[in-house]
Amino acid sequence: MISFHILDFVFFLFPFVVILLLLFRFRSKQKSTKEYFQAEGSLSWFVAGTAMVATTFAADTPLAVTEIIRGQGIAGNWIWWYMAVGGFITVFFFSKLWKRSGASTDLELIGLRYSGKEADFLRGFKAFVIGFLLNLVILGWVNLAMLKIIPVFFPTMTSSHILIYLLLFGVFYTSIAGLRGISYIDVFQFFLAWIGCILFAYYAINLPTIGGLEGLKSKLNGNKILFFPNGLEGSLPWDHFLILLTVLWWSSWYPGSEPGGGGYIAQRILATKDENAALKGSLWFVVAHYFIRPWPWILVALVSIVLYPNLTEVESGKGFLMVLKEGMPNGMMGLMLSAFLAAYLSTLATHLNWGASYLVNDLWKPMLQKGRSDSYYLKISYGIQIITAICSYFLAVYGMDTIKGAWVFLLEASSGIGFILIARWFFWRISAWTEIFAFILSPILYLIFSLYLKIGFPYSILYTAGSSAILLIVSTYFLPNTDRNVLIQFYDRTKPPYFFWKGLFLTDKNQKQTIYPNQLFVSLAGTISGLFFVFGGLYTVQCLLWNEGLLIIGLVVFLIGLIGLYLSLQTLQQNQR
């Protein structure tokens, strides 16, 4: 039985008190679905961006990172670091396009970009598949993480029973808060969880059995602390690394890093007050998620390898939690419990609200029950959130084994979809039929390459993504096109790069380019600078921690990225004025 100090109880109760206070502050503002799902488009860049970061900091994230590091070392983190490529492309190429669209959800964009009954079908189909089915998978692995976390803090209690109470509290405050309240609560929860993990990492590496960074390094297999893969046993293979960086970022749908933006990232972008807030908020999210946050998780995961070297793959994520039992100071147990609760509740609230926004705004409201009052649709959203929470509970308890396994499944099964989510902004021939074809084609190719031909991850994605991209582009010349008037209205509304749309206007000699001619160049420069900043920064920290590597190269790349980001942002803001 774990003995809790009075400080542990204080830290445990602290987030619940703050959440209730914030609920009281924001409860009176929920009068419309636009407020409930979009905060009336009034969030600042910092609140919107931090809310994105908080949502991706789920209770499962440190456990999944621990599973990865125990298997493939620090270099294994490229299985999610590669997503920064798509993240920066969303920042500089798509964030302003999303905000200009004026949509309430990213699925509403389907009605603006496409035409015909096929567009209505696609919107409703994606609302159900993503807003309910895939959302269940996501919440299922988040709940699974809590089922692994709870026994560490409450070993004599039934984890599944405690999870029920947490789900009830999450549904309660999600229903009351709406997106505005959830976003402000997310800001608090992110900093609570982040500070907790920093302190946890500090105490973990200074345990007597570890002996600081030098002691940790001496006790580890050298492959475990490599930043880049070397292809040897216990490290990420080089070819996997290259596929991740060159293919996965544009091919696979994954929550929080959808190609071209989307999901709850698009929801928070659409909730910002203007285009600059959309740009800055999404930039803050990418920098914080990939650069500022990971190292405390990494250090604790490495400590767990030394302390518990014989954990099975299924149990490996628990290594992160088991370190808590190794002589932590008073209050640390309670602080980490509150950190995990904050991370869990933040992700739960966002996904409940986001999933309900799809099912209400893109399925129920336009197709099943038109013309009803906002109060009616809000009641429907409450019911949807309750059903989603119940189903995700049973999925976690009876349907999942490992968190990393759920990650890989999503990446493989969606690896033909991401391409079309980018192409629809740039190639006018993409229609609703093309996107429907992508949703049919991707699972079929996944079954063929991964299950029938037994091609393993990530090669299965390479085959699926390449073949689907070719087939989808070819299909645009045979499938029906979107109505020309709808396309022109979409172009005038969002102003995507004219170069890729000029084929639509070949018969209209008076059509002029309506964006700044250097926008593509500046967006590309901003993307490359952002990647230099994040990857250079990660490598610089790697060199400082282990006193090895080419520190000067890391610093130069980091500083070039920082200067490039500043200049790109300044140029984009001047162009807008």
Side-chain angles (χ1 to χ4, degrees):
M1 177 69 181
I2 294 177
S3 177
F4 273 38
H5 188 269
I6 185 65
L7 284 176
D8 295 310
F9 285 107
V10 170
F11 284 126
F12 169 63
L13 295 174
F14 178 60
F16 292 100
V17 173
V18 174
I19 289 172
L20 291 174
L21 290 174
L22 288 171
L23 284 178
F24 179 78
R25 167 69 177 80
F26 290 104
R27 181 179 181 180
S28 62
K29 294 190 175 183
Q30 294 177 35
K31 297 179 180 178
S32 67
T33 54
K34 187 174 178 64
E35 168 64 30
Y36 189 73
F37 294 127
Q38 202 183 355
E40 294 287 353
S42 62
L43 294 182
S44 69
W45 69 265
F46 180 76
V47 172
T50 307
M52 297 179 205
V53 189
T55 298
T56 54
F57 189 172
D60 67 291
T61 312
L63 307 189
V65 169
T66 301
E67 288 182 15
I68 291 167
I69 291 175
R70 291 181 68 93
Q72 296 182 318
I74 293 176
N77 284 290
W78 287 101
I79 198 173
W80 65 280
W81 280 345
Y82 82 88
M83 296 177 183
V85 179
F88 278 112
I89 287 175
T90 295
V91 172
F92 287 101
F93 283 89
F94 299 114
S95 62
K96 289 192 174 186
L97 300 182
W98 279 113
K99 188 59 183 174
R100 289 172 194 159
S101 74
S104 297
T105 66
D106 59 310
L107 296 191
E108 191 174 319
L109 187 80
I110 293 171
L112 302 174
R113 173 62 177 80
Y114 305 134
S115 60
K117 292 184 179 179
E118 63 271 23
D120 295 334
F121 168 79
L122 177 63
R123 185 179 176 185
F125 173 77
K126 292 183 73 172
F128 178 74
V129 171
I130 299 176
F132 185 67
L133 297 182
L134 286 179
N135 202 29
L136 281 184
V137 175
I138 298 165
L139 287 174
W141 81 54
V142 172
N143 288 336
L144 176 64
M146 285 308 298
L147 289 175
K148 294 184 177 184
I149 291 167
I150 291 169
V152 175
F153 299 98
F154 306 105
T156 61
M157 303 181 71
T158 305
S159 301
S160 57
H161 293 171
I162 296 178
L163 181 61
I164 291 174
Y165 292 113
L166 291 175
L167 279 168
L168 287 173
F169 182 76
V171 171
F172 165 73
Y173 99 71
T174 302
S175 300
I176 293 176
L179 186 65
R180 186 188 303 274
I182 291 170
S183 297
Y184 278 92
I185 292 171
D186 280 350
V187 173
F188 157 73
Q189 290 175 326
F190 164 68
F191 284 103
L192 173 65
W194 184 43
I195 292 170
C197 286
I198 291 173
L199 291 174
F200 183 28
Y202 171 80
Y203 288 117
I205 62 178
N206 285 290
L207 288 169
T209 51
I210 300 299
L213 288 172
E214 286 299 321
L216 178 60
K217 180 180 177 181
S218 67
K219 295 176 176 66
L220 288 167
N221 181 318
N223 287 341
K224 294 298 183 184
I225 61 172
L226 291 177
F227 185 76
F228 294 106
N230 64 1
L232 300 178
E233 185 178 357
S235 178
L236 183 72
W238 261 108
D239 49 355
H240 289 204
F241 173 70
L242 293 175
I243 292 172
L244 292 172
L245 281 180
T246 58
V247 178
L248 256 71
W249 68 264
W250 59 262
S251 65
S252 293
W253 184 96
Y254 186 83
S257 65
E258 295 88 345
Y264 59 80
I265 300 300
Q267 184 188 38
R268 301 299 167 86
I269 290 174
L270 293 167
T272 55
K273 60 184 179 181
D274 54 37
E275 290 181 25
N276 280 332
L279 176 68
K280 292 179 180 178
S282 54
L283 176 61
W284 162 236
F285 157 65
V286 177
V287 170
H289 179 50
Y290 295 102
F291 173 45
I292 295 177
R293 201 169 48 182
W295 278 108
W297 305 336
I298 294 170
L299 291 172
V300 175
L302 292 172
V303 169
S304 78
I305 295 175
V306 175
L307 297 179
Y308 312 105
N310 299 318
L311 294 178
T312 65
E313 182 180 357
V314 173
E315 297 293 316
S316 61
K318 286 186 178 180
F320 187 93
L321 301 166
M322 294 169 68
V323 178
L324 276 171
K325 301 178 180 180
E326 302 293 330
M328 291 290 125
N330 291 332
M332 196 66 233
M333 183 70 71
L335 179 59
M336 284 309 297
L337 175 57
S338 66
F340 276 112
L341 289 175
Y344 170 74
L345 291 172
S346 171
T347 304
L348 175 66
T350 290
H351 278 276
L352 289 176
N353 182 276
W354 168 60
S357 75
Y358 279 9
L359 293 169
V360 171
N361 190 73
D362 299 296
L363 180 61
W364 202 280
K365 191 174 183 178
M367 301 177 192
L368 301 180
Q369 289 287 328
K370 299 180 180 180
R372 301 294 294 268
S373 66
D374 274 2
S375 62
Y376 168 80
Y377 294 122
L378 288 176
K379 290 176 183 177
I380 295 297
S381 74
Y382 303 151
I384 289 171
Q385 290 170 36
I386 293 171
I387 292 171
T388 302
I390 293 172
C391 292
S392 71
Y393 169 83
F394 284 105
L395 181 61
V397 173
Y398 300 109
M400 287 186 171
D401 292 321
T402 69
I403 298 163
K404 181 184 173 184
W407 278 24
V408 172
F409 167 75
L410 257 186
L411 291 174
E412 287 189 299
S414 67
S415 54
I417 297 171
F419 169 76
I420 217 68
L421 300 180
I422 293 176
R424 65 184 180 179
W425 291 98
F426 293 138
F427 188 36
W428 64 272
R429 283 188 175 274
I430 301 295
S431 68
W433 287 113
T434 318
E435 198 165 329
I436 292 170
F437 184 38
F439 266 87
I440 298 171
L441 185 64
S442 182
I444 292 175
L445 292 176
Y446 162 69
L447 291 173
I448 292 173
F449 291 121
S450 182
L451 300 184
Y452 180 71
L453 297 179
K454 305 297 183 182
I455 298 174
F457 176 86
Y459 306 105
S460 58
I461 292 178
L462 183 63
Y463 284 96
T464 301
S467 56
S468 64
I470 294 171
L471 291 172
L472 289 169
I473 287 295
V474 171
S475 74
T476 64
Y477 292 92
F478 297 96
L479 295 172
N481 289 328
T482 300
D483 181 85
R484 189 171 185 274
N485 290 329
V486 172
L487 289 172
I488 292 174
Q489 290 174 6
F490 177 80
Y491 175 84
D492 290 337
R493 185 170 190 163
T494 60
K495 300 180 179 62
Y498 176 77
F499 175 81
F500 299 99
W501 283 73
K502 61 183 180 181
L504 181 65
F505 301 112
L506 289 179
T507 59
D508 187 354
K509 296 181 180 179
N510 295 320
Q511 180 68 32
K512 296 181 180 179
Q513 185 170 345
T514 56
I515 65 168
Y516 296 98
N518 66 340
Q519 180 175 324
L520 281 176
F521 172 77
V522 175
S523 297
L524 181 60
T527 299
I528 295 173
S529 297
L531 293 172
F532 275 31
F533 178 78
V534 166
F535 294 152
L538 285 170
Y539 184 66
T540 298
V541 175
Q542 165 85 6
C543 295
L544 291 172
L545 285 174
W546 311 118
N547 195 27
E548 62 179 32
L550 302 174
L551 175 60
I552 187 64
I553 292 180
L555 281 173
V556 169
V557 172
F558 173 75
L559 291 174
I560 290 174
L562 178 61
I563 295 169
L565 277 178
Y566 174 78
L567 294 176
S568 298
L569 289 173
Q570 290 294 105
T571 303
L572 288 174
Q573 290 175 346
Q574 289 172 3
N575 283 348
Q576 186 173 341
R577 291 195 293 268

